[in-house]
Amino acid sequence: QLLSFTQLRLGCTASKFIVDEFKKENPEVFFVSINASKQKDHPFIDKYKLFNTPTYVLINNHGEKIARRVGTFNSSYFKNFLT
């Protein structure tokens, strides 16, 4: 799973197009998007320390963090963890 923690800010909006392309290229990855403005009590915020936006966290099927990136989404960074 890839968690996406974003707000409607320039950095988040700019990454959206890159994330959408990543989704198309990796249909086996389940995406969870958390809107920081509207979902302030989401349990993943504390669990994965989602305090800055945008933050992207790749987790395995057991909910364990595999990779994390704060700032612009980098698809090649996350692809390295999908093998």
Side-chain angles (χ1 to χ4, degrees):
Q1 292 183 345
L2 185 71
L3 304 178
S4 171
F5 181 65
T6 60
Q7 288 183 321
L8 292 176
R9 292 187 177 171
L10 185 57
C12 302
T13 305
S15 291
K16 181 185 181 320
F17 300 105
I18 301 168
V19 172
D20 287 346
E21 188 63 30
F22 185 83
K23 286 179 183 181
K24 290 178 192 174
E25 295 172 359
N26 301 281
E28 73 282 3
V29 177
F30 179 74
F31 285 82
V32 175
S33 294
I34 302 167
N35 185 319
S37 300
K38 296 179 182 177
Q39 297 173 285
K40 296 176 183 175
D41 295 329
H42 196 288
F44 285 171
I45 292 173
D46 286 330
K47 182 174 183 174
Y48 298 107
K49 298 177 178 34
L50 304 175
F51 305 123
N52 300 302
T53 59
T55 300
Y56 304 94
V57 181
L58 184 65
I59 61 174
N60 65 18
N61 291 337
H62 303 289
E64 300 163 331
K65 181 183 75 167
I66 298 170
R68 173 189 171 91
R69 183 169 175 90
V70 177
T72 305
F73 186 81
N74 184 319
S75 54
S76 61
Y77 172 77
F78 285 104
K79 283 182 185 178
N80 290 328
F81 297 96
L82 294 180
T83 56

